[in-house]
PDB file of all heavy atoms in Angstrom:
ATOM      1  N   ALA A  76     102.601 110.924 114.278  1.00  0.00           N
ATOM      2  CA  ALA A  76     103.084 112.086 115.019  1.00  0.00           C
ATOM      3  C   ALA A  76     104.281 112.749 114.562  1.00  0.00           C
ATOM      4  O   ALA A  76     104.452 113.994 114.304  1.00  0.00           O
ATOM      5  CB  ALA A  76     103.158 111.771 116.530  1.00  0.00           C
ATOM      6  N   GLU A  77     105.366 111.929 114.162  1.00  0.00           N
ATOM      7  CA  GLU A  77     106.594 112.354 113.690  1.00  0.00           C
ATOM      8  C   GLU A  77     106.508 113.160 112.451  1.00  0.00           C
ATOM      9  O   GLU A  77     107.031 114.162 112.215  1.00  0.00           O
ATOM     10  CB  GLU A  77     107.494 111.175 113.329  1.00  0.00           C
ATOM     11  CG  GLU A  77     108.259 110.641 114.635  1.00  0.00           C
ATOM     12  CD  GLU A  77     108.907 109.235 114.220  1.00  0.00           C
ATOM     13  OE1 GLU A  77     109.167 109.012 113.016  1.00  0.00           O
ATOM     14  OE2 GLU A  77     109.141 108.469 115.156  1.00  0.00           O
ATOM     15  N   MET A  78     105.599 112.613 111.567  1.00  0.00           N
ATOM     16  CA  MET A  78     105.367 113.283 110.165  1.00  0.00           C
ATOM     17  C   MET A  78     104.398 114.433 110.207  1.00  0.00           C
ATOM     18  O   MET A  78     104.321 115.141 109.244  1.00  0.00           O
ATOM     19  CB  MET A  78     104.967 112.173 109.244  1.00  0.00           C
ATOM     20  CG  MET A  78     106.085 111.187 108.889  1.00  0.00           C
ATOM     21  SD  MET A  78     105.590 109.946 107.724  1.00  0.00           S
ATOM     22  CE  MET A  78     105.536 110.919 106.112  1.00  0.00           C
ATOM     23  N   SER A  79     103.542 114.529 111.303  1.00  0.00           N
ATOM     24  CA  SER A  79     102.633 115.693 111.366  1.00  0.00           C
ATOM     25  C   SER A  79     103.218 117.042 111.909  1.00  0.00           C
ATOM     26  O   SER A  79     102.950 117.298 113.074  1.00  0.00           O
ATOM     27  CB  SER A  79     101.536 115.282 112.174  1.00  0.00           C
ATOM     28  OG  SER A  79     100.767 114.116 111.671  1.00  0.00           O
ATOM     29  N   VAL A  80     104.098 117.610 111.153  1.00  0.00           N
ATOM     30  CA  VAL A  80     104.823 118.796 111.493  1.00  0.00           C
ATOM     31  C   VAL A  80     104.823 119.710 110.241  1.00  0.00           C
ATOM     32  O   VAL A  80     104.618 119.313 109.241  1.00  0.00           O
ATOM     33  CB  VAL A  80     106.227 118.509 111.926  1.00  0.00           C
ATOM     34  CG1 VAL A  80     106.351 117.924 113.248  1.00  0.00           C
ATOM     35  CG2 VAL A  80     107.030 117.750 110.799  1.00  0.00           C
ATOM     36  N   ASP A  81     105.014 120.924 110.481  1.00  0.00           N
ATOM     37  CA  ASP A  81     105.188 121.905 109.490  1.00  0.00           C
ATOM     38  C   ASP A  81     103.932 122.012 108.512  1.00  0.00           C
ATOM     39  O   ASP A  81     104.003 122.007 107.290  1.00  0.00           O
ATOM     40  CB  ASP A  81     106.336 121.762 108.511  1.00  0.00           C
ATOM     41  CG  ASP A  81     107.584 121.797 109.367  1.00  0.00           C
ATOM     42  OD1 ASP A  81     107.634 122.552 110.325  1.00  0.00           O
ATOM     43  OD2 ASP A  81     108.584 121.240 108.987  1.00  0.00           O
ATOM     44  N   GLY A  82     102.703 122.035 109.094  1.00  0.00           N
ATOM     45  CA  GLY A  82     101.437 122.270 108.418  1.00  0.00           C
ATOM     46  C   GLY A  82     100.983 120.870 107.714  1.00  0.00           C
ATOM     47  O   GLY A  82     100.035 120.967 106.958  1.00  0.00           O
ATOM     48  N   VAL A  83     101.630 119.798 108.088  1.00  0.00           N
ATOM     49  CA  VAL A  83     101.312 118.419 107.587  1.00  0.00           C
ATOM     50  C   VAL A  83     100.523 117.665 108.619  1.00  0.00           C
ATOM     51  O   VAL A  83     100.801 117.781 109.730  1.00  0.00           O
ATOM     52  CB  VAL A  83     102.487 117.673 107.135  1.00  0.00           C
ATOM     53  CG1 VAL A  83     102.130 116.260 106.747  1.00  0.00           C
ATOM     54  CG2 VAL A  83     103.349 118.276 105.989  1.00  0.00           C
ATOM     55  N   GLY A  84      99.439 117.063 108.164  1.00  0.00           N
ATOM     56  CA  GLY A  84      98.797 116.087 109.057  1.00  0.00           C
ATOM     57  C   GLY A  84      98.748 114.706 108.361  1.00  0.00           C
ATOM     58  O   GLY A  84      98.680 114.749 107.139  1.00  0.00           O
ATOM     59  N   ILE A  85      98.913 113.611 109.046  1.00  0.00           N
ATOM     60  CA  ILE A  85      98.858 112.349 108.431  1.00  0.00           C
ATOM     61  C   ILE A  85      98.376 111.404 109.329  1.00  0.00           C
ATOM     62  O   ILE A  85      98.563 111.463 110.490  1.00  0.00           O
ATOM     63  CB  ILE A  85     100.379 111.937 107.780  1.00  0.00           C
ATOM     64  CG1 ILE A  85     100.277 110.818 106.872  1.00  0.00           C
ATOM     65  CG2 ILE A  85     101.345 111.631 108.952  1.00  0.00           C
ATOM     66  CD1 ILE A  85     101.508 110.755 105.946  1.00  0.00           C
ATOM     67  N   GLY A  86      97.614 110.448 108.819  1.00  0.00           N
ATOM     68  CA  GLY A  86      97.139 109.324 109.636  1.00  0.00           C
ATOM     69  C   GLY A  86      96.436 108.306 108.892  1.00  0.00           C
ATOM     70  O   GLY A  86      96.271 108.322 107.587  1.00  0.00           O
ATOM     71  N   ARG A  87      95.759 107.341 109.653  1.00  0.00           N
ATOM     72  CA  ARG A  87      94.911 106.305 109.060  1.00  0.00           C
ATOM     73  C   ARG A  87      93.534 106.349 109.698  1.00  0.00           C
ATOM     74  O   ARG A  87      93.456 106.672 110.875  1.00  0.00           O
ATOM     75  CB  ARG A  87      95.455 104.898 109.197  1.00  0.00           C
ATOM     76  CG  ARG A  87      96.860 104.811 108.517  1.00  0.00           C
ATOM     77  CD  ARG A  87      97.482 103.384 108.701  1.00  0.00           C
ATOM     78  NE  ARG A  87      97.451 103.024 110.096  1.00  0.00           N
ATOM     79  CZ  ARG A  87      97.744 101.761 110.434  1.00  0.00           C
ATOM     80  NH1 ARG A  87      97.803 100.812 109.513  1.00  0.00           N
ATOM     81  NH2 ARG A  87      97.862 101.475 111.661  1.00  0.00           N
TER      82      ARG A  87
END
Side-chain angles (χ1 to χ4, degrees):
E77 275 166 26
M78 291 181 71
S79 296
V80 287
D81 299 333
V83 172
I85 193 160
R87 297 183 302 168

